[in-house]
Amino acid sequence: MSLLDVRNLRKSYGALKVTDDLNLSVDEGELHAIIGPNGAGKSTLIAQLSGQAGSDGGSVRFDGTDMMGMPMHKRVRAGMSRSFQITSILPGFTALENVAVAAQAGQGSSFRFLAPVADEAALNDAALAALARVGIDDRAFVKAGSLSHGEKRQLELAIALATRPRLLLLDEPLAGTSGAEADRLVEVMRSLKSELTLVLIEHDMDAVFSLADRISVLVYGRIIATGSPDQIRSDPKVRAAYLGEETEDA
Amino acid sequence: MTNLFLLQLLNGMQFGILLFLIAAGLTLVFGIMDFVNLAHGVIYMVGAYLAVTFSQMTGSYGLGLLLTLPATLVIGLVLELLVFRKLYDRPHLDQVLATFGLVMIITEGVEIIWGAAPLSVQMPDLLSGSVPLIGPLRYPVFRLVVIAAGLATAVALWLIITRTRIGMRLRAGATNRAMVSALGVDIKKLFTIIFAFGAMLAGFAGAMVAPILTVDPGMGESVLILAFVVIVIGGIGSVKGAFAGALLVGLVDTLGRSFGPIILRSFLDPSAAGQAGRVLAPMLVYILMAVILAARPAGLFGART
Amino acid sequence: MRLIPTRAWAATLLFAAFAALPLIAAALDDAYLVVIATRILAYAIAALALDLILGYGGMVSFGHAAYLGIGAYSVAILSRAGITDLSLHILGAIAGAAIFAVITGAISLRTKGIYFIMITLAFAQMAYFFFVSLSAYGGDDGVTLSTRSTLFGQPVLEDDTALYYTAFAILLGLYLTAVAVTRSRFGRVLTGARENPVRMQAIGFSPFRYQLTAFVISGCMTSIAGVMLANQASFVSPAYMDWHRSGELVVMVVFGGIGNLLGAVAGATIALLLEEWLAVLTEHWPLLFGLILVLVVLYSRDGLTGFFRRRL
């Protein structure tokens, strides 16, 4: 059975159909990449799946549960987390605190008012582990706002991991990273494949084709093809849609 | 009873129109500049004082009113250039504090110049009579003139906003601030104009009520907060919303005070009804605001929250 | 966010100075000093409470004077009902403040920015008019309290110094509590929601619940300040809820540097002493106070906050 099942999902901004009767099925344990030219509606799709943006119609089922109308924070608690294309961190918190507060969401009540949270070993250990996994544990006590761009991308992933999702929606995790940082993130994603299900939106085609179990191609709000990397590479519709497209997303 | 209702209806309209004159400028400032201005009420108050002084100097309320308009326009200009302009990019907290400081300065300044005792201005003879409505009921001409002048201003504003280029920019800016700069408008000039114009409208309102209310340094404050309620109800940045909100607040407040106890008497014994009415009536507009917000957080005509 | 040692030292010094103040007043034979200082302590409680939501939660409440009034009137109302004990007055204040804060907070927090400021201001004005229309308690004119609250049944608070030390103990207790809250799990979520609400949702928090809780805690704390003010003045009137008072509370928090609980205590002290001093210079002191406020906001590049942060 598929872990994430999207049927006839729709969303329009005025006359513009951004998501147009979209169907998508993500199997438990796979890394499912979604590619498509600029303006295909990839980020909107992530926003709809995560609950950040509403949908005009259709259904989103996660592990058999209807997610439509469920706010973002409840979807996260149900096991579906996301990362942001444009880095979204807590700049005044240290890197460690950014991740620890994510771990805190999944561990017990946050209506505790007197005990110092900085002394909670369980949260700090979980945070350090997530930071180590993405390779910035040496920057744990630096204010997140002062991290380099690449480090912020790594932190973004660590935060998402700390929510211990079953399904992780990654919105261009490599955007703006340098070669070494990108390699590191690709390796992290590869290692995650055995632990959780991933939906990856990414423009770096080398990364996508080396990581993905299956790829769906999104054009003008519709999935025009789904298949293994080899099937997608040779699909004539995909070649037509992608002719000359190899640019950064807007 | 019908007569009383008609009378209070007119009073409520007159109060609503007054609130509209104050809220119209304020809502544009809030919507287009995302700027909190607590000092708008004191401009209304200053307008009333200037009308008193100019009327005494010229011996004519009409001339006094006419002189008040450019005077408050200039005050708006000066405040914009000296203070507000420096605050647009600041956090709301800074805007609140600086304009709160201005309220203290201007209120105290008015007390130094005019004294703390209430003043009044002689109503022009021409407008001091009353006209018959229905039956024995009569209504003061002056209050009718206030309503008419306010409605005329509303129509003029509506024409400016819907029919002129600057109005179109205002509307675009009030719903989407990024749009104004995208249209290549000289924002600084636009902001200055809106501010000065808003100040003039508030001053106009102050001058209009000078003959029927007592003019005192505190008169701007309760009106300011009611103007906030109007803007919240109508939706920030919407002049149409300000008009609807102002009339609603004016009518609910006026009718609530006079008819609240009467309505309550049908459920409660008279003394309890009187007491409950006295307590509830002044709270009514705030309860109205709460109900509208609970249903529509962006207000009746608001696009943004 | 641990208290750095210098902060702990500053807190110790400030509270030690407050503790020693009645002795100094006795040495100078200046009883009025204790009276002013009691007011400062009460406002410091309110500023502390406001800083909790303004500084840590990013909620600019411009209606916190309503809670001062709720606290003050709970003294008047309960006293008239024959309930005189301070602890019960405080409990009554907290209950009243909690109800008001839950209702108005739930509505106000559906909005942000300018809306939030205006709505909190409007609700405070509603509370103001409510108490103005309470003719049983003097309406506009308010009521004079014939006695102060009792402590464990004893009229010890009639003594100004005893009242002072009671206010001091409450402030100290609430300060330590507030510091703990900002460093707790709850405090971390609250601060996170100020920094980036979308991020907090994306890790599984609904900011609203935490913000509303903080709003209620802050309102309840402020109402305790109202209880102390009513006792200090032996007088209760709607003037406690004047919107100027709400403004002054915000000024106090900002004078001390927002998001810095000790700063709120210092800010209340600075603002009230400044008022006292200006009032000696001229009866038109609000003009000077307003001028100082405008100038500091205008000519400090990051606003008042930056102005004071750079200098502390």
Side-chain angles (χ1 to χ4, degrees):
Chain A
M1 199 189 85
S2 57
L3 183 64
L4 179 71
D5 190 33
V6 182
R7 294 272 169 84
N8 306 107
L9 195 67
R10 294 191 305 275
K11 185 172 188 63
S12 310
Y13 290 116
L16 183 68
K17 288 180 181 168
V18 207
T19 306
D20 185 7
D21 254 337
L22 183 139
N23 290 289
L24 176 71
S25 169
V26 177
D27 292 336
E28 177 110 50
E30 74 169 333
L31 190 154
H32 195 123
I34 296 173
I35 61 172
N38 287 330
K42 300 186 295 291
S43 281
T44 304
L45 177 61
I46 292 275
Q48 282 177 275
L49 294 180
S50 66
Q52 192 187 8
S55 298
D56 297 338
S59 76
V60 175
R61 299 184 83 80
F62 173 69
D63 198 20
T65 315
D66 184 13
M67 294 270 132
M68 292 294 280
M70 195 187 272
M72 176 149 69
H73 69 273
K74 288 197 178 151
R75 296 190 198 202
V76 177
R77 297 213 164 182
M80 203 165 103
S81 292
R82 65 165 297 182
S83 74
F84 290 88
Q85 183 191 346
I86 296 164
T87 306
S88 178
I89 53 173
L90 308 168
F93 282 34
T94 63
L96 185 80
E97 286 165 345
N98 263 277
V99 187
V101 72
Q104 182 183 326
Q107 281 184 37
S109 169
S110 286
F111 283 97
R112 290 192 205 153
F113 298 92
L114 297 177
V117 63
D119 295 349
E120 285 194 46
L123 298 182
N124 294 337
D125 293 348
L128 266 179
L131 287 174
R133 180 136 203 189
V134 300
I136 53 167
D137 47 334
D138 56 327
R139 306 285 279 161
F141 297 102
V142 177
K143 279 250 159 49
S146 348
L147 294 173
S148 74
H149 177 78
E151 288 167 342
K152 283 180 185 159
R153 297 306 295 163
Q154 287 163 295
L155 177 61
E156 177 86 29
L157 182 57
I159 293 171
L161 285 177
T163 63
R164 292 193 296 175
R166 283 180 66 197
L167 172 69
L168 183 53
L169 309 165
L170 294 171
D171 194 355
E172 296 199 34
L174 303 183
T177 53
S178 67
E181 290 159 345
D183 290 347
R184 170 91 208 184
L185 283 170
V186 168
E187 283 324 304
V188 175
M189 285 188 266
R190 199 184 307 283
S191 75
L192 287 173
K193 283 177 66 173
S194 58
E195 297 165 34
L196 46 93
T197 310
L198 290 140
V199 170
L200 171 68
I201 287 181
E202 188 46 65
H203 270 287
D204 183 332
M205 287 306 146
D206 293 338
V208 166
F209 280 86
S210 83
L211 284 169
D213 298 305
R214 285 199 299 163
I215 298 175
S216 288
V217 183
L218 185 67
V219 179
Y220 294 125
R222 284 171 170 271
I223 302 282
I224 59 164
T226 296
S228 68
D230 287 338
Q231 287 168 325
I232 293 299
R233 208 175 266 131
S234 56
D235 190 306
K237 280 187 294 187
V238 176
R239 300 185 77 94
Y242 254 95
L243 212 61
E245 274 285 349
E246 198 55 285
T247 50
E248 298 270 295
D249 205 310
Chain B
M1 182 79 179
T2 343
N3 283 348
L4 180 63
F5 183 74
L6 188 67
L7 195 74
Q8 294 297 357
L9 200 68
L10 283 169
N11 282 339
M13 261 189 82
Q14 185 246 303
F15 187 39
I17 290 281
L18 180 75
L19 286 177
F20 168 70
L21 289 178
I22 296 161
L26 204 53
T27 198
L28 286 174
V29 167
F30 284 177
I32 295 177
M33 305 170 204
D34 194 33
F35 181 83
V36 198
N37 181 12
L38 297 176
H40 201 68
V42 292
I43 303 214
Y44 158 83
M45 181 261 292
V46 168
Y49 272 99
L50 288 175
V52 171
T53 298
F54 289 142
S55 302
Q56 283 166 355
M57 280 164 54
T58 60
S60 149
Y61 168 71
L63 275 178
L65 179 85
L66 278 182
L67 284 172
T68 302
L69 297 181
T72 45
L73 186 87
V74 168
I75 292 174
L77 273 177
V78 170
L79 286 178
E80 205 274 342
L81 292 175
L82 285 183
V83 183
F84 298 136
R85 173 165 289 193
K86 301 190 169 77
L87 293 167
Y88 295 140
D89 301 329
R90 295 289 193 81
H92 290 141
L93 186 60
D94 284 2
Q95 301 170 352
V96 163
L97 285 172
T99 56
F100 180 61
L102 279 181
V103 170
M104 297 178 98
I105 295 171
I106 296 173
T107 307
E108 206 59 31
V110 164
E111 275 192 35
I112 293 172
I113 297 171
W114 281 284
L119 301 179
S120 61
V121 60
Q122 186 66 43
M123 196 178 288
D125 290 338
L126 193 65
L127 304 176
S128 62
S130 58
V131 289
L133 288 176
I134 40 172
L137 190 68
R138 300 181 69 83
Y139 199 74
V141 175
F142 190 82
R143 284 179 185 264
L144 287 178
V145 171
V146 171
I147 294 176
L151 285 177
T153 312
V155 170
L157 264 182
W158 177 75
L159 285 175
I160 290 173
I161 287 172
T162 53
R163 300 290 157 86
T164 65
R165 282 174 67 86
I166 193 164
M168 279 161 55
R169 286 168 183 166
L170 282 183
R171 266 190 307 165
T175 43
N176 183 354
R177 260 181 335 131
M179 187 84 112
V180 185
S181 44
L183 291 171
V185 182
D186 182 349
I187 295 192
K188 273 192 171 169
K189 214 163 80 185
L190 186 69
F191 283 8
T192 312
I193 292 171
I194 297 169
F195 242 116
F197 192 67
M200 189 181 74
L201 282 179
F204 179 51
M208 295 271 286
V209 297
I212 49 177
L213 297 180
T214 51
V215 177
D216 67 63
M219 69 185 286
E221 315 213 322
S222 54
V223 168
L224 173 77
I225 298 173
L226 279 181
F228 284 172
V229 173
V230 164
I231 290 167
V232 167
I233 287 178
I236 288 183
S238 164
V239 175
K240 199 175 12 170
F243 187 73
L247 282 184
L248 200 60
V249 167
L251 287 172
V252 165
D253 192 55
T254 310
L255 295 177
R257 281 171 203 266
S258 48
F259 293 98
I262 299 175
I263 294 167
L264 284 172
R265 220 167 288 161
S266 48
F267 325 95
L268 300 168
D269 70 88
S271 78
Q275 212 157 49
R278 270 197 305 282
V279 174
L280 277 178
M283 295 169 67
L284 216 51
V285 290
Y286 301 99
I287 296 169
L288 175 76
M289 175 189 84
V291 170
I292 288 178
L293 272 179
R296 284 183 66 98
L300 294 176
F301 295 90
R304 297 183 290 131
T305 47
Chain C
M1 272 191 285
R2 298 188 153 277
L3 276 188
I4 44 173
T6 51
R7 173 88 58 87
W9 275 112
T12 311
L13 271 177
L14 185 62
F15 281 105
F18 272 121
L21 188 120
L23 305 176
I24 299 165
L28 296 175
D29 198 24
D30 186 354
Y32 183 59
L33 207 56
V34 176
V35 173
I36 300 178
T38 310
R39 279 184 61 221
I40 290 178
L41 289 176
Y43 277 107
I45 293 171
L48 183 74
L50 182 57
D51 194 25
L52 199 59
I53 57 165
L54 199 158
Y56 293 85
M59 295 171 252
V60 183
S61 166
F62 212 79
H64 250 48
Y67 300 99
L68 288 181
I70 290 171
Y73 272 93
S74 85
V75 176
I77 292 169
L78 291 174
S79 295
R80 186 172 293 184
I83 300 166
T84 58
D85 202 78
L86 181 71
S87 59
L88 294 172
H89 288 170
I90 288 176
L91 268 181
I94 288 176
I99 293 169
F100 187 70
V102 165
I103 297 170
T104 62
I107 296 169
S108 311
L109 281 168
R110 285 166 61 91
T111 65
K112 290 193 281 290
I114 292 186
Y115 266 104
F116 186 82
I117 297 170
M118 287 197 288
I119 293 164
T120 47
L121 173 55
F123 278 131
Q125 193 74 356
M126 178 175 89
Y128 175 83
F129 282 125
F130 175 79
F131 286 104
V132 164
S133 60
L134 273 190
S135 45
Y137 291 90
D140 231 346
D141 299 325
V143 281
T144 305
L145 304 172
S146 52
T147 56
R148 285 180 175 164
S149 309
T150 54
L151 202 58
F152 310 114
Q154 303 303 312
V156 286
L157 298 182
E158 298 298 334
D159 176 47
D160 282 344
T161 307
L163 183 70
Y164 176 86
Y165 277 116
T166 309
F168 174 77
I170 292 174
L171 174 64
L172 184 60
L174 288 178
Y175 170 74
L176 294 174
T177 310
V179 169
V181 168
T182 57
R183 295 201 255 153
S184 70
R185 276 184 164 229
F186 177 82
R188 190 175 266 181
V189 177
L190 182 68
T191 317
R194 180 201 68 203
E195 291 235 324
N196 186 346
V198 175
R199 167 41 80 198
M200 294 307 281
Q201 283 165 25
I203 58 174
F205 290 108
S206 160
F208 176 82
R209 297 168 59 203
Y210 299 90
Q211 288 168 336
L212 181 59
T213 307
F215 191 81
V216 174
I217 292 173
S218 172
C220 292
M221 281 172 66
T222 309
S223 75
I224 299 174
V227 170
M228 298 320 287
L229 280 175
N231 270 299
Q232 186 272 317
S234 294
F235 176 69
V236 171
S237 86
Y240 284 112
M241 316 191 191
D242 189 309
W243 73 279
H244 279 259
R245 195 81 49 145
S246 294
E248 283 163 30
L249 289 179
V250 178
V251 170
M252 288 172 190
V253 172
V254 174
F255 268 11
I258 61 168
N260 167 358
L261 297 167
L262 187 64
V265 176
T269 313
I270 296 168
L272 287 172
L273 288 180
L274 186 63
E275 272 184 31
E276 290 284 337
W277 178 62
L278 292 176
V280 171
L281 290 183
T282 162
E283 59 172 318
H284 298 294
W285 66 267
L287 187 98
L288 296 176
F289 195 91
L291 206 60
I292 292 171
L293 195 54
V294 173
L295 289 176
V296 176
V297 175
L298 282 188
Y299 294 103
S300 156
R301 204 173 52 80
D302 316 314
L304 272 175
T305 325
F307 182 86
F308 282 100
R309 197 159 280 164
R310 279 202 301 278
R311 278 159 185 76
L312 278 179

